[in-house]
Amino acid sequence: MKLQKLFFLPLFLFFLITSAHAQIDDTYFDYMDVFELQLVGNPEISPDGNTIIYQRNQFDVMTDRRFSNLWSISFSGKEHRPITSGKSNYGNVTWAPGGDRIAYTSSEEGSNQIFVHWMDTGASASITNLTESPGNLSWSPDGSKLLFSKFVPGSSSVVKAELPSPPEGAKWEEYRRDGGGYVEDGHSHIFVISAEGGAPRQLTSGNYDHGSPTWTPDGNILFTADRSGNADLDPNNEQIYEMNIETGAMTRITDKRGPHSNPVVSPDGTLIAYTGYKDEFLGYQLTDLYIMYREGSNLRKISQAVENDVSSIRWADDSRSLYFRYTEEGVAKVGNIKLNGDYTEIAQHLSSTTIGRPYSGGSYSVAKNGRFAFTSGTPTQPAELSVGHFPTRMSNQQLTNLNEQFLKSKELGQVEQFWVNSSVDDFKIQGWIITPPDF
């Protein structure tokens, strides 16, 4: 493996350059100005590549909370209009195979539920009455069913250490997960429901977490799980399973040390691609891209030339290549990789709606004809919507500019990149410095 470069990941950080509110010019970007911003997130392009649905994220200064709505725009940038409005949250958009409907989740009725929206009439309706929030929505190949996952409360299988008595007047903290908060008793399971609504059916069971559910072209499903019963003491060993949802028959496909994540079947049904690595119990390991035949044979890594973590994989419609996301020297990108490992960068400067933590990100989606949509931004521009087309290699175009008028009235800090050589090894360290306006 080639020597990797260490770097810090830049985000939309210009609001951090201000000091005390009373000491700054009114034209300088202030921390309260964050509540004026609108950010594009999670664009989903229709199967025919003509329409994009995206989340428009905003912040409510009165409740100090984020809210989002869904907007629709054509690939050409015309017909830009809202699908939802208000201060609820909308997300998890997924297109029906025929492009006539979308499914999404929303809290507009109180708790988070699954909704279906008909594109021709504009009608929307909730099709569930769940007590736990659903996620990972996907349509069956024939458009008749929806797959989703949700938490199911139950008895705890978490292994808790035997701790000594705490000091007087203190108590030990409950079990928590970094970035996830308190760990409730229960597990994540996979469900299926008719696209017309009704009672959902639980497909998985047991004291195991099941993730990354996805359909196969013939109507089975793939998912990941560590069903060894030892996941708490031996994490990062999820395996890939295939299930016949009619009979419940389940087959384990992988048999090597995990983790195996995000399995996706090729459109022709012959191959499975997934991301992962062989856990060697190190502080960090590169996440690679693998492919194998449907039954698990001829497993091979195809991302040898990619010196960065691979994520968000999607098959091209001809089953001859995959799209993926990666971050190179602080810049999030989308690439297309052939099955022989050759890859091409097709988009860069992806940007996410996360502005409070020093991580890169961004999202994208691809239509059957190679048109794609992605969130784009820079350290001085929040996430906007951009589009492109592969392999025609048309120039990528930005469709939205939601904050143009507001930012015209603000002076922003300047962001400069720098590199330094480590004094103890051969690593190069990348960093950024932000200077105040008029510095």
Side-chain angles (χ1 to χ4, degrees), residues 26 150 389:
D26 287 341
K150 75 178 185 72
H389 192 186

Side-chain angles (χ1 to χ4, degrees), residues 175-208:
Y175 188 78
R176 302 186 71 175
R177 184 173 289 118
D178 182 30
Y182 292 105
V183 177
E184 300 181 60
D185 291 342
H187 296 278
S188 177
H189 285 286
I190 301 169
F191 294 76
V192 66
I193 188 172
S194 168
E196 297 179 351
R201 174 164 60 100
Q202 184 172 331
L203 298 177
T204 58
S205 60
N207 291 328
Y208 317 106

Side-chain angles (χ1 to χ4, degrees), residues 75 346-347 372 374 386-399:
F75 185 80
I346 66 171
F372 59 89
F374 64 100
S386 294
V387 296
H389 192 186
F390 182 82
T392 64
R393 303 314 306 273
M394 63 168 272
S395 177
N396 295 344
Q397 299 177 0
Q398 182 177 316
L399 299 187

Side-chain angles (χ1 to χ4, degrees), residues 34 36-40 56-59 382-384 402-403:
V34 171
E36 303 296 332
L37 300 178
Q38 298 185 22
L39 299 89
V40 172
R56 185 178 292 194
N57 297 273
Q58 297 174 255
F59 305 92
E384 298 286 354
L402 303 182
N403 302 288

Side-chain angles (χ1 to χ4, degrees), residues 87-114:
K87 292 191 175 181
S88 298
N89 282 296
Y90 299 83
N92 291 298
V93 174
T94 179
W95 284 90
D100 58 328
R101 294 161 292 167
I102 59 169
Y104 61 90
T105 59
S106 172
S107 59
E108 68 174 81
E109 295 181 351
S111 59
N112 218 26
Q113 302 296 332
I114 298 175

Side-chain angles (χ1 to χ4, degrees), residues 8 19 55 119-120 126 133 155 241 256 266 351 380-381 389:
F8 299 100
S19 56
Q55 288 176 236
M119 299 302 294
D120 56 350
S126 61
S133 294
S155 59
Y241 291 83
K256 293 179 171 53
S266 59
S351 183
T380 56
Q381 177 185 287
H389 192 186

Side-chain angles (χ1 to χ4, degrees), residues 340-355:
N340 65 3
D342 294 338
Y343 78 97
T344 304
E345 174 193 313
I346 66 171
Q348 60 177 304
H349 297 297
L350 271 69
S351 183
S352 77
T353 60
T354 301
I355 59 177

